[in-house]
Amino acid sequence: MARPKKYTNEDLLELLRQTRSEITEDLTPYLLEKHTGVSKTVWRTRMAKEIEQLNQAFKNPFNDSRGINPLPLDNVLTIYEKYKYNEKVLLTKLKSYDIFVNNILKMASKVSGLEVTLRQKESASKEIIQELEEKVALLKEERDHFEREYLETIGQSTYREQYRTRETKEPLSLERQENVEIVDFIGRNRDLFD
């Protein structure tokens, strides 16, 4: 014949909820034994699923959309209704509830702080990208300017030589295809630039 159970499942659930409201780290059978005095074997064999659900619910407080059904924590009115005739227990339960709510608020403020930091970094990154794009545009303009200067310099020296030998008599313009070929020094001297 088996020994009668010292704790009912409801007692264990109540202890689990109370412990969850006091401790912010992941609940384990060992930690529960240390905090409540109930054997870790009892926690592991009878409440393993509930412990896992409560840990998941604490890690992801907005998980209703994912179909997880966490163990509900009592609200202030429920605590008052349960313990209104026992002032000492009522104060202890309300203190535990207050600790739990404060822990949630601390977590929320950390998340909010991280969100603000990420927004600032994103804004700074966008500014850096915009500055770099402006520099690239400026460098492209400079490149185009110097390329045109180079071509005109080469073209004018070639034009002067052709004008001196009377091969051409019209002004040099890079808009005309034959003049572009005249200034294409690299194209005419491929063997030098292999």
Side-chain angles (χ1 to χ4, degrees):
M1 179 172 222
R3 192 168 44 165
K5 295 179 180 176
K6 189 174 181 181
Y7 299 98
T8 65
N9 285 348
E10 290 77 24
D11 293 337
L12 290 173
L13 280 172
E14 181 61 33
L15 279 171
L16 189 59
R17 286 187 190 115
Q18 181 179 353
T19 306
R20 172 76 289 162
S21 67
E22 295 169 1
I23 298 176
T24 58
E25 56 191 283
D26 273 356
L27 297 177
T28 61
Y30 177 75
L31 184 65
L32 287 165
E33 178 183 42
K34 190 175 172 184
H35 194 74
T36 63
V38 177
S39 169
K40 63 185 171 198
T41 308
V42 171
W43 288 114
R44 192 177 308 116
T45 57
R46 293 175 54 195
M47 292 284 133
K49 187 186 287 185
E50 287 81 0
I51 291 170
E52 182 61 31
Q53 285 179 342
L54 206 51
N55 283 336
Q56 278 298 111
F58 194 72
K59 286 180 192 170
N60 305 313
F62 306 107
N63 55 12
D64 292 335
S65 62
R66 291 187 242 166
I68 300 171
N69 187 12
L71 294 173
L73 293 172
D74 292 335
N75 63 26
V76 176
L77 293 175
T78 308
I79 292 172
Y80 177 76
E81 287 299 320
K82 271 186 181 175
Y83 305 106
K84 65 182 172 186
Y85 300 113
N86 189 344
E87 185 178 331
K88 186 175 181 181
V89 174
L90 176 64
L91 290 174
T92 304
K93 297 289 183 180
L94 289 174
K95 182 179 178 188
S96 296
Y97 187 79
D98 183 50
I99 291 169
F100 177 75
V101 169
N102 283 330
N103 288 335
I104 293 291
L105 289 173
K106 285 177 189 174
M107 288 173 59
S109 70
K110 285 181 185 177
V111 168
S112 176
L114 286 173
E115 187 178 338
V116 167
T117 304
L118 287 174
R119 283 188 186 145
Q120 289 172 345
K121 286 183 178 179
E122 181 183 12
S123 175
S125 297
K126 284 181 180 176
E127 289 174 7
I128 290 170
I129 288 171
Q130 185 177 1
E131 288 175 9
L132 290 173
E133 285 175 348
E134 289 171 2
K135 284 182 181 178
V136 166
L138 184 64
L139 289 171
K140 282 182 180 177
E141 286 178 20
E142 287 181 5
R143 179 201 63 194
D144 293 344
H145 170 74
F146 288 121
E147 182 179 6
R148 181 172 290 289
E149 288 291 320
Y150 168 78
L151 291 175
E152 286 179 2
T153 303
I154 293 293
Q156 287 173 2
S157 65
T158 305
Y159 176 76
R160 269 190 238 125
E161 179 63 26
Q162 288 181 351
Y163 185 76
R164 192 175 62 78
T165 59
R166 308 251 184 239
E167 290 180 23
T168 185
K169 292 190 179 188
E170 58 186 72
L172 180 66
S173 167
L174 289 178
E175 308 302 320
R176 298 188 54 195
Q177 183 61 32
E178 59 268 11
N179 290 341
V180 172
E181 291 171 4
I182 290 172
V183 297
D184 188 10
F185 180 74
I186 295 172
R188 289 185 299 127
N189 300 296
R190 287 269 180 227
D191 53 329
L192 297 176
F193 296 99
D194 282 340

